[in-house]
Amino acid sequence: MELQTERMILRPWQDSDAEALYAIASNPEVGLNAGWEPHKSVEHSREMIRTIFSEKEFYAIVLKDTNELVGCVGFLLGDAKHSKKMGDNDAEAGYWIGVPYWGQGLIPEAMRELIRHGFEDLALDAIWEGYYEGNIRSKRVADKLGFIYQFTEAENEKDSPLHLTQDIHFYCITKQE
Ligand SMILES: CC(C)(COP(=O)(O)OP(=O)(O)OC[C@H]1O[C@@H](n2cnc3c(N)ncnc32)[C@H](O)[C@@H]1OP(=O)(O)O)[C@@H](O)C(=O)NCCC(=O)NCCS
């Protein structure tokens, strides 16, 4: 499945993305804010592509103008979601983009298409988004997209790749909204 916005193509991850992924994901500003370790090598990035990023509904973001791989948007489905309060037919969105591409409204644009896809093609009931306490950039994205604050939960240490118990603020948007 491939999705498109005005400036971006959202397509499945490929093994050959490993070098471009490493260039972005080795910067701690990206992973630590999203809850994962900075990538340590191209091989580490390739391993992530073959495991986590190969899940259904995870998309690489590629700029149409330059063909550069810049980030990732996707849905966690089923038990992969971070809170038991989310419904069976809900999804939890995740997103990140390389530091050089911050501040151009790219993630809100990609997320609008992912949300359309989630409600129209996947017939989801609600889409959630969670960000760690202090991640004001991610809160801005949630606000711009019309997500509404629901509750705060401490992440279970065993579910955290960083082995932390940080508070996550959860926001939601329903099909009707
Ligand atoms: C959060 C994130 C996805 C936002 O993506 P984006 O495409 O830059 O989104 P926007 O362009 O709408 O910018 C969102 C906010 O980031 C902040 N921001 C923008 N450019 C910035 C820069 N160069 N440096 C620091 N902050 C910046 C601004 O507060 C902006 O809000 P504003 O438009 O009201 O000024 C991106 O910053 C990121 O990948 N961060 C690291 C990973 C992460 O936190 N993921 C979310 C996990 S829940």
Side-chain angles (χ1 to χ4, degrees), residues 29-31 33-35 93-99 101-108 129-132 135-141 144:
E29 290 277 352
V30 179
N33 282 302
Y95 46 77
W96 51 261
I97 188 162
V99 176
Y101 311 97
W102 286 7
Q104 301 173 37
L106 288 167
I107 287 293
E129 188 278 318
Y131 67 86
Y132 292 114
N135 190 349
I136 47 168
R137 291 183 285 267
S138 188
K139 179 183 186 321
R140 280 294 301 140
V141 171
K144 286 182 195 188

Side-chain angles (χ1 to χ4, degrees), residues 21-175:
L21 171 60
Y22 176 65
I24 302 168
S26 50
N27 184 331
E29 290 277 352
V30 179
L32 294 181
N33 282 302
W36 39 268
E37 291 276 6
H39 291 192
K40 296 180 182 75
S41 62
V42 174
E43 199 43 54
H44 181 188
S45 293
R46 190 171 295 116
E47 186 59 28
M48 290 297 116
I49 290 170
R50 289 181 180 171
T51 53
I52 316 262
F53 297 170
S54 66
E55 290 289 331
K56 232 174 98 197
E57 298 304 333
F58 262 66
Y59 297 90
I61 304 175
V62 177
L63 296 184
K64 282 182 179 171
D65 272 0
T66 59
N67 212 26
E68 280 167 288
L69 184 143
V70 297
C72 180
V73 284
F75 286 134
L76 296 173
L77 301 163
D79 290 343
K81 299 192 293 274
H82 277 94
S83 172
K84 299 269 178 284
K85 292 182 186 158
M86 298 173 192
D88 290 345
N89 197 39
D90 296 354
E92 181 181 346
Y95 46 77
W96 51 261
I97 188 162
V99 176
Y101 311 97
W102 286 7
Q104 301 173 37
L106 288 167
I107 287 293
E109 181 178 321
M111 277 296 298
R112 275 187 203 102
E113 172 57 12
L114 190 74
I115 291 167
R116 182 210 62 73
H117 170 62
F119 289 133
E120 289 184 9
D121 304 333
L122 306 179
L124 297 169
D125 291 335
I127 296 171
W128 294 80
E129 188 278 318
Y131 67 86
Y132 292 114
E133 168 64 31
N135 190 349
I136 47 168
R137 291 183 285 267
S138 188
K139 179 183 186 321
R140 280 294 301 140
V141 171
D143 289 342
K144 286 182 195 188
L145 293 168
F147 279 75
I148 298 167
Y149 173 72
Q150 305 294 325
F151 62 90
T152 296
E153 260 178 19
E155 185 175 27
N156 196 327
E157 192 184 335
K158 72 173 171 38
D159 295 335
S160 159
L162 296 174
H163 307 292
L164 296 172
T165 50
Q166 302 183 76
D167 275 351
I168 309 181
H169 304 297
F170 287 105
Y171 283 62
C172 180
I173 189 163
T174 62
K175 187 169 188 167

